[in-house]
Amino acid sequence: MAEQQRSDALKFYVNGKKVTVSDADPETTLLGFLRQSLRLTGSKYGCGGGGCGACTVMLSRYDPQTKRIHHFCVNACLMPVCQLHGAAVTTVEGIGSTKTRLHPVQERIAKAHGSQCGFCTPGMVMSMYTLLRNKPQPTMEEIRETLGGNLCRCTGYRPIIDGYRTFCESENCCQVNGSAGCSANGDGPLEPAENGQTETSGKEEFLPLDPTQELIFPPELIRMAESEERTTQTFRGERMTWISPVSLDELLQLKSQHPQAPIVMGNTNLGLDIKFKGVVHPIIISGFRVRELFEVTEKPEGVCIGAGSSLATVRSVLEKCVCSLPAEHTQTLAALLEQLSRVAGEQIRNVATLGGNIASAYPNSDLNPVLAAGRCSVVLLSREGKREVPLDKDFFVGFGKTILKPDEIVLSVFIPVSRKGEVVRAFRHAPRKENALATVNAGLRVWFEEGSNVVKEMSVYYGGVGPCTVSAERTVQQVIGRPWTEATLSDAYRALVDEVTLGASAPGGKVMFRRSLTLSLLFRFYLHVLQHLKDTNVSEGEIPSEQLSAVEHLPNIIQPSYHEFQDVLSGQSEQDPVGRAVQHQAALSHATGEAVYCDDFPRTQGELFLSVVTSARAHAKITHIDVSRALSMPGVVDVFTADDIPGKKFRFFTGIAEEILALGEVTCVGQMVCAVVADTKPHAKLASAAVKVHYEDLPDRIFTVEEAVEKRSFFLPQREIQRGDVTKAFQEADHVYEGEIRLGGQEHFYMETQSMLVIPLGEEKEMKVYVSTQHPAMVQEAVAETLGIPSNRVSCHVKRIGGAFGGKVTKTSILASITALAAWRTERPVRCVLDRGEDMLITGARHPVLGKYKVGFMSDGRITAADVRYYANAGHTPDESVLVIEKILLHIDNAYNIPNLRGQSAACKTNLPSNTAFRGFGVPQTLMVIENMVNDVAVVLGRPAEEIREKNMYKETSLTHYKMEFDPENLLRCWEECKERSELDRRRLDVARFNQQNRWKKRGIALIPVKYGIGFAEGFLNQAAALVHIYKDGSVLVSHGGTEMGQGIHTKVQQVASRELDVPLSMIHISETSTSSVPNTCPSAASFGTDANGMAVKDACQTLYKRLEPIRKQDPNGTWRSWVAKAFLERISLSATGFYRGHDLYMDWVKQEGRPYAYFTYAACCSEVELDCLTGEYRTVRTDLVADIGRSINPSIDIGQIEGAFMQGLGLYTMEELKFSPSGVLYTRGPGQYKIPAVCDVPLQFNVYLLSGSHNPHAIYSSKGVGEPTLFLGSSVFFALKEAVAAARSDAGLSGPFTLHSPATPERACVACSTRFTQMIPQEETETAQPWALELP
C-alpha cells in the first residue's frame, strides 16, 4: 500500500547547520521539532495558535526566478516541518549568545529593560531581527507594525519600543515618535533630569548593527533550488500523509483523486482545526511548490494575483500598483491595502494566503467583503477545466462554504482597476485595534453617472453579521438612481436595519452593537464619498466641519515619553548598586533564549507526558469513566483517577476541602476528572480525548451572582465592616443616589502556561519537582500529602517563572500533585505542560464582581455616607475567595475619608471554574466600585470628578475604617504633582473645546488616586528566610524563598547582598528557589517579596560580614578574595542563614479593627482618551503617573512594574472579556478570542514619575512594594472613556449618571454613546431567546 512506503527526505538548515529528516510527520510543527529534536528551546510555546508571537523565528528562502533571498518571520507553532524543504530557519540561538557575541537586537532590548519574565523576549527579538535583515534602518511605524504580532504580559511594551527605536533611520525619530529617554542618533545620552535620569542610553553605548556579520544563506540551498530536480515529496505520519507536488497538473490530479483532502499553504486555518478541533485529514496536499499559484500578472484592466501568494506579498504588489497607476484606478487596490495593514500580525501575514482567505470563507474575513464589493473574480481550476467566477453574493453559500467543487482549486484572483467616478472603501472594527479578528467589516463601492452625484451602481458587503459574507442588496436598491444625499442615505439606513438582522443568540453575541456598526460604517462611507465628490469637482457640497471627525483616524503617533526617579543618596559608594537602574540579572539570557524555564529542561530517559481529562458538564454525577479506548492507543501507559491517590484526596486552601481529582461528582466545566500518561505529548492528548466520562446531570446549576444570592449559595464566612452611623447620615444628606457596576473577570494570561516535571529518584520515596509556581512550599506540601510521604522526601525547584500574577499558586499545587501521582505510580519522570486553552479553562481568573452602592452627599460635594455591597463570583470551589472578599472590604475607602461607611462582601458559590488570586487580589474590583460611585456623585452635582475626589480625600493623619492610623501626606503629594505634571486644568479646557467642535470623536480626561496596603493580613505569611554561601574564590551564592517571575526579585536581592557584603554584583549568583535550600517559604505575592526576602538576605549577609570583621582588621589592605581565603583557613563559617520575622499584621473581623498592612503605597494617574463614537474604538492619548514607592532599590525595574501593571489594568477595565456559554463552557480559550493589550494599546505618551523625597521606615532601604498598586490606575482610562461617552450622550440630548460596566469594551462604549445609529436598532425580544453568552458576574 502507498501508506506503507517510506517518506522522502526533508532537507533544510537551522542556524547555519544542515538538517535532514527521513521520517517527518505532517503533524509535527517547526516549534515542536526545534524544541524536542534539536533542543533549541529559545523559541517558546505560548499559545500554539499563532496569536502571541512567543515562538517567532525567521524563515529564509531563495527564489531561483528572481535570484533573491527572502527573509520573513513566522510562528513556529503553526509552520509544518514538512513545508521547510529548501528553507533556512534562524532562531534566537542562531543570532547571538552570551557565550560568543550578542547581536545588537538582543543587547538593546536588554539594556532598555525590555524584558521582565523574559518568556516573550525571544519572539520579540526575532520579529525585530527579521525586520532589520530586510531593512537595517526601519521607520518607527515599521517597528511598531513588526511587533504587532507579539504579546507581552509583563512590560507594558514601552521599554521594548524604546530599545528598538534606537535602530530608527530618522535623525529625530525619538523626539517625534517616541521616548525622550532615547537618543537615537545624537552624540551621546540625554542629560539627566533634575531628579532622575533618562533610561535608554545613546547609540554609542550599543553594539553597532553590521549587516555584513549576519549568517549567510546556505549556498547548498541555492544550489538545490537552482539545480535539484523538482519531484513530488511525500511524508507519512501516524495519522496523516503529506503530499507536496511540484506541477499544477499533478496538484489537480491529486485533488481529483482525493477531493476531500485540503490544500495547505500557510496552515493558519487548517493547523488550528487539527490542533484545537481534533480534525483529522488522512491526506493533506501542499500547494507550496506549485509555481503557478504564485504568479502575478499586471494588465491595464487590473492585476491578477496567484492564490498562493501570501498576504504580505499581496500587500507589496498592491503598494506597487497604487504607486504606478492613476489615482482614479486605485480605489479597490487602496481599500484592500487599508484592510491588509490591520489583518493579523506580521507572522501570519507572511504565510496566510489570498486564496486561503477566500476559500475558507470565514464570516468575518477582512478581505472577502472588499473583494466582492470591488468586482473581483477568481479563477477556479480542476481536471475538468477552468472557470472564472465573480466573487459576489453567490460565491459564499454558508459558514465556511463556497461554490468551489470538491475537486476544484482557486488558481488566482483578479482585482480590476476602478473606473472613473467609482469610489471603494473598506472598514473594519475589531476587539483590539490590531492583530484581532474583526467583529464587523465592510467593503463598499459606488459608481456615479459621469460628472454627477447620481448613483449608477453600488455594492455593499459586510462580514461578521451572518454565517458568511453578506450582500445588502435591498439597501443598495434604495440608493441606485438617486443623488448622493443625506435623504437618500436615510432611506438606505432604514432598509439596512430590516435587511441585516441577527438573532439574540447569534454566535459571537454583541447583536445590537454589530447591527449598529453596519449603519455606522455605511454612514462613514457616505461622508468619504461626499469628500471624494468635492475633491473631484463633481459636487460643491462638503462634509460639515463638525462631521469631519467621522472620517478622520484616531491618533496613533507615539509621542515622547518621560520617566523620572530619585538619584542615589549623596556619598553613596560607586560600587553600591542600591537605588541604581541596574539591568535585570537575566535580561541577556532572556534576549538570547538561554534562560531556562520549566519545560526547557531536557527530556530524561523514560519520561512520560501527562494530559488531564476535564469535565464537560457544569453540575453532574459521574456514573462511569471508560478508559478502555484510551489505554489501547499507541504510547499510552496508564490512566489515573482519584481512587489511585495513596494519600489525601483533597487540598485545603481556606479551610474548605477541594478535590484533587473529581470524586463522583463534577461541579463545573473544566474540573479535572482523571489524567492520562503516555510516551509523548501528542499521544497523551489523543488518549485524554478518547476517555469517555458518562454523566447524569444534576439540577440547580448556578452561574451568576444573582442566582447565587437567590439560592443562598455562598462560601462562608461573609464579611461586613462599618464605621459611623450610616442610616442617620443618609437621613441628613442633601442627596442620596443608588447605583451599581458589574466588573468582568480577567484571565492571567501569563505567557508560560502551567508547567511541571516530577522525577522519582527511586530511593527513600524521594521526589524532585521542577515547577513554575509562586509558592514552592505549598507544592512541596501538596505533593507530600497526596503521596502520603513526609515533606523531607520532596524537593521543589523553581528556576524562573514565565509570568504568574497570582495564577500559579493554588491550581499549580493541585496539578503538581496529579503529576507526582503519575510519577509515583509509574516510577518514571512525568512532565505536564498545559495547552493555553486547557490553562484558561482549568485555572480560573480574577473574580468578576457585582458592586451595588448607596451614597449620601452634600451639595458642596462632601460624601457623608456610603453603603456598598460586593458579590464576587467565586466559582465552584473556595480557593482563596474568602481572603479576596476580605481584602475587598479593607480597601473600600481607597483615598477617601467617608465618615459613615458600611461594606458587605460575599463569595458566591457557582458552577463555573474557581476564580483565584490575581494581581491586586480584589482591590482593583473594590476600588472600581468606589470610584464609579464618586464619579456618579460628580455627575449628579455637575462638577468635575477630580473636584469631588479631592474634596473627600484623607487630608491629615487619620484612621482607616478598620482603625489603622496613617499619614496621607504622600498621597496628597502624588495627587497634586500628577495634576501639575499632567497640566490637567489646561487640558480639561482643551478637551471641552475638542468635544464642542467634533460630533463623532470625543475626548475625556480623568485623574484617579490609589492607596494600597502592602503585606499579608495573615501575619505568618510575612516571614522569610535566606541562605548565603561564600565560596573560597570569593563568589557568593544566595538562596531565598522568593520566586523570580519577572518582578526582578533576584536582581534586587543581588543588589541587597552587594551592598551588605560590599562586593560587586558580578560576584553574586542566584541559581534557583528550592525548598531544599530554604524551607517553609511563603508565596511570592502581595507586592511583599522584596520586602521580606530582601530583609532575610540582608540578615544573612550582615552575619557573614560580621564574621569576617576580624580578618579585615588583620589585613585592612587585603581584597575580598584574600579575606575569604583566610577565613576558610581559620575555620570561620562562610555560610549563614538569614531570617525576617515580618510585621505583626492582623485583622479582627469581630471587633472590625486591626493592622492588616505594614504601610501604604500611593499613586495618582491622569489619562486622556479619544473615542470614536461610531465604533467605540479609542486611543489613550496620554498618561501621566506619579507613584510613591519610597526610595526605589531599582528604579528601572520599578518603573517597568508600574507600566506593566497599568497596562494590565487597562486591559481589565477596557478590553479583556471572559465569555461563558449558557451551559457554563468557557468560549475564550486563547489569544484568538481573548484580547490582552498589545503594542497598539500603549498610551501614545506615557510619563512615569517616582515621587521624590519619600521615605518608608517599614521596609528594606526605605523602599515600598510596587507590583500591584498601579494596576488599578488603568481605570483612569475607563473613567476618561466614560467622560468621553458622556460628551457624546450630551450631543444626543442625554444627561445625568448612566451605566457603563467594566470592561468598557468598544461595544459597551458605542452603545452607551446612544448615537442615532444605535437608536435605530430595535430592542430585540430576549425573554424567550437564550443569549449566546452569560452576563457575568
Side-chain angles (χ1 to χ4, degrees), residues 820-832:
L821 167 67
W824 176 267
R825 289 291 191 188
T826 60
E827 298 183 346
R828 291 165 69 178
V830 177
R831 188 181 301 252
C832 175

Side-chain angles (χ1 to χ4, degrees), residues 141-297:
E141 176 60 25
E142 287 168 332
I143 292 173
R144 191 191 60 76
E145 189 174 294
T146 208
L147 296 177
N150 294 76
L151 297 179
C152 173
R153 196 54 154 165
C154 295
T155 66
Y157 302 101
R158 192 276 312 161
I160 299 170
I161 296 169
D162 271 4
Y164 286 155
R165 72 158 50 87
T166 58
F167 290 109
C168 276
E169 62 181 353
S170 169
E171 286 294 321
N172 62 349
C173 76
C174 303
Q175 285 69 45
V176 173
N177 287 322
S179 168
C182 161
S183 176
N185 282 280
D187 296 326
L190 298 175
E191 288 299 314
E194 182 182 344
N195 187 40
Q197 59 192 69
T198 53
E199 286 201 75
T200 306
S201 303
K203 268 194 169 179
E204 76 287 348
E205 293 190 21
F206 294 131
L207 293 170
L209 178 67
D210 184 356
T212 66
Q213 297 302 303
E214 304 296 359
L215 273 175
I216 64 167
F217 187 80
E220 182 182 351
L221 295 184
I222 296 177
R223 291 194 295 272
M224 277 174 56
E226 296 277 10
S227 61
E228 185 180 68
E229 182 183 348
R230 288 164 53 83
T231 58
T232 296
Q233 292 180 321
T234 304
F235 305 106
R236 295 180 175 85
E238 279 189 17
R239 303 191 304 161
M240 301 184 194
T241 297
W242 176 289
I243 307 175
S244 178
V246 293
S247 72
L248 187 58
D249 285 344
E250 194 177 358
L251 175 64
L252 295 176
Q253 183 177 346
L254 284 167
K255 191 62 176 159
S256 175
Q257 293 171 349
H258 308 284
Q260 300 308 313
I263 294 180
V264 64
M265 299 296 288
N267 203 43
T268 55
N269 284 332
L270 185 66
L272 299 179
D273 288 344
I274 294 172
K275 246 183 211 186
F276 301 131
K277 297 179 182 178
V279 175
V280 178
H281 297 286
I283 301 287
I284 292 175
I285 304 169
S286 168
F288 190 75
R289 299 165 71 219
V290 178
R291 287 173 179 161
E292 290 88 341
L293 293 177
F294 299 89
E295 291 177 353
V296 176
T297 309

Side-chain angles (χ1 to χ4, degrees), residues 596-602 604 607 752-761 767-773 776 779-780 783 794-801 812 815-817 819-820 823 829-833 1071-1076:
V596 176
Y597 298 82
C598 188
D599 192 37
D600 296 339
F601 290 122
T604 54
E607 181 179 302
E752 175 202 33
T753 60
Q754 301 277 349
S755 307
M756 55 214 65
L757 169 64
V758 181
I759 301 176
L761 298 186
M767 308 287 278
K768 276 192 180 294
V769 183
Y770 299 93
V771 61
S772 179
T773 181
V779 170
Q780 177 192 33
V783 168
V794 180
S795 63
C796 183
H797 305 264
V798 181
K799 181 70 175 175
R800 60 172 55 81
I801 307 171
T812 310
L815 283 162
S817 297
T819 309
V830 177
R831 188 181 301 252
C832 175
V833 180
S1071 175
E1072 64 173 3
T1073 305
S1074 167
T1075 56
S1076 299

Side-chain angles (χ1 to χ4, degrees), residues 653-654 806 809-810 847 878-885 915-917 921:
F653 296 119
T654 50
V809 181
T810 53
H847 291 71
D879 202 275
E880 298 186 88
S881 297
V882 172
L883 301 179
V884 169
I885 65 165
N915 292 309
T916 188
F921 208 73

Side-chain angles (χ1 to χ4, degrees), residues 647-718:
K648 293 183 180 178
K649 293 176 169 55
F650 301 88
R651 293 294 302 142
F652 293 84
F653 296 119
T654 50
I656 309 172
E658 179 172 344
E659 296 169 355
I660 292 173
L661 291 168
L663 281 164
E665 184 179 312
V666 292
T667 49
C668 83
V669 175
Q671 184 175 353
M672 290 178 282
V673 176
C674 59
V676 179
V677 284
D679 58 350
T680 66
K681 182 175 182 177
H683 285 157
K685 294 293 181 190
L686 289 171
S688 63
V691 172
K692 298 300 178 188
V693 183
H694 299 270
Y695 303 97
E696 181 183 305
D697 283 329
L698 296 172
D700 298 326
R701 294 184 311 189
I702 299 171
F703 295 127
T704 67
V705 294
E706 286 91 346
E707 292 169 344
V709 170
E710 179 186 338
K711 295 174 181 176
R712 306 300 301 164
S713 178
F714 301 112
F715 290 113
L716 299 178
Q718 296 181 49

Side-chain angles (χ1 to χ4, degrees), residues 30-44:
L30 173 56
L31 180 64
F33 184 81
L34 290 172
R35 292 181 60 82
Q36 286 146 36
S37 300
L38 301 185
R39 290 292 310 136
L40 294 172
T41 57
S43 305
K44 304 301 183 190

